Amino acid sequence: MEIGQHISQKYNEALETLRNQVLKMGGAVELQASNALKALLERDDELAELVATSDYKINKMEVEIDEECAQIIARRQPAAGDLRLLLATAKLVTDLERIGDEAEKIGRYAIKLAKKDTVMEMHAELSHLGELVLDMLHGSLDCFARMDADQAMNIVSEDDKIDKEFDALSRLLITHMMEDPRNIKNVLRVIWCARALERMGDHAQNICEYVIYLVKGKDVRHTSREQVRERYFAAEEKSK
């Protein structure tokens, strides 16, 4: 699916500008999430402080994109694919903003953990979880850029891996607390950082679902992956 062409050149330009604004916001959110993970793993309190205090930029982008969507709807009264694009965009940027919120949380916890050894003891596990999340986020934004519903469907399944990694890391951290109660406060902070990463994965999954909605015209939220594949992808797969 691509953004359709209209008689009005200004309408075409408005939709393309909106798409570019979303991709710019997505890039900013990716950088924020990457910096949050780096600050946590490298115990970089300066980078953590930057992440914790930069969320206002992402919030500003969300407001601007929401306003642009509202203006286009009011002026153009879009239908069909254009309307789906605007509705999905408004929802998508909300998830991007929430990913930014989760990165901010990690930044704030990373400041407190910067001089502690707790993070280093779980470095490999946190790093693996973080890389899975960043890959899923990047993939979801790439699907939006290319309007690729098939790839979006594949990426949705990656959330299972993230959930399993988070559960395994949580068990390790709980064991760590039980073995040394003196570290309970800092271990809890690490758990909250891991939880924030897991939530980022959930929001990336939502982005993929909006891409499927854009391309297929079907709302697949709260629908099992097996049902989505059977209803909206099976026929295409058989014809290939």
Side-chain angles (χ1 to χ4, degrees), residues 3-235:
I3 295 176
Q5 295 298 305
H6 307 86
I7 295 174
S8 170
Q9 182 62 26
K10 288 186 178 180
Y11 191 10
N12 291 330
E13 291 173 356
L15 292 176
E16 186 61 29
T17 298
L18 181 67
R19 175 178 174 275
N20 290 335
Q21 283 179 297
V22 174
L23 293 176
K24 181 180 178 182
M25 181 179 178
V29 169
E30 269 196 273
L31 179 61
Q32 186 85 330
S34 177
N35 283 342
L37 180 63
K38 182 178 180 181
L40 177 64
L41 294 176
E42 297 182 4
R43 297 192 291 178
D44 186 336
D45 56 348
E46 290 185 6
L47 183 58
E49 181 70 29
L50 177 65
V51 172
T53 56
S54 298
D55 189 53
Y56 72 92
K57 297 178 183 178
I58 292 172
N59 294 342
K60 184 173 181 287
M61 290 181 184
E62 181 196 21
V63 171
E64 290 173 350
I65 292 171
D66 278 345
E67 289 178 352
E68 186 64 23
C69 285
Q71 288 290 331
I72 294 174
I73 290 173
R75 291 174 181 172
R76 301 294 179 178
Q77 298 181 342
D82 291 340
L83 183 58
R84 290 205 308 273
L85 173 65
L86 293 165
L87 293 176
T89 295
K91 292 177 180 294
L92 189 151
V93 296
T94 297
D95 277 283
L96 284 176
E97 189 274 333
R98 288 175 180 170
I99 292 172
D101 287 345
E102 298 298 337
E104 180 188 3
K105 288 179 190 176
I106 294 174
R108 295 194 183 283
Y109 292 132
I111 294 171
K112 296 178 180 179
L113 289 165
K115 294 180 173 59
K116 309 295 180 182
D117 294 328
T118 310
V119 175
M120 300 311 295
E121 293 174 10
M122 299 295 166
H123 188 282
E125 292 83 358
L126 273 172
S127 179
H128 189 225
L129 174 61
E131 289 304 318
L132 286 175
V133 171
L134 292 178
D135 286 346
M136 187 173 180
L137 174 58
H138 180 78
S140 67
L141 291 168
D142 186 55
C143 288
F144 174 76
R146 295 184 293 110
M147 298 296 178
D148 189 337
D150 293 311
Q151 185 60 15
M153 188 69 237
N154 292 333
I155 292 174
V156 163
S157 302
E158 295 297 306
D159 192 52
D160 289 339
K161 296 180 184 177
I162 292 172
D163 291 342
K164 289 177 182 177
E165 286 291 324
F166 171 69
D167 290 342
L169 179 56
S170 295
R171 287 194 294 271
L172 280 173
L173 289 166
I174 290 170
T175 301
H176 191 72
M177 282 193 294
M178 293 172 66
E179 290 175 349
D180 189 356
R182 293 173 299 177
N183 281 331
I184 286 177
K185 183 181 291 186
N186 289 321
V187 172
L188 282 174
R189 287 171 178 152
V190 177
I191 289 177
W192 291 329
C193 288
R195 177 61 176 169
L197 288 169
E198 189 270 338
R199 289 294 298 146
M200 288 183 189
D202 290 341
H203 291 302
Q205 177 183 339
N206 291 345
I207 292 171
C208 289
E209 290 175 350
Y210 300 143
V211 173
I212 295 171
Y213 167 68
L214 266 171
V215 177
K216 301 293 183 180
K218 301 294 181 181
D219 191 340
V220 299
R221 293 175 298 172
H222 316 301
T223 306
S224 72
R225 290 161 202 170
E226 292 75 16
Q227 289 176 318
V228 174
R229 285 192 182 277
E230 182 178 347
R231 292 177 185 175
Y232 312 121
F233 291 85

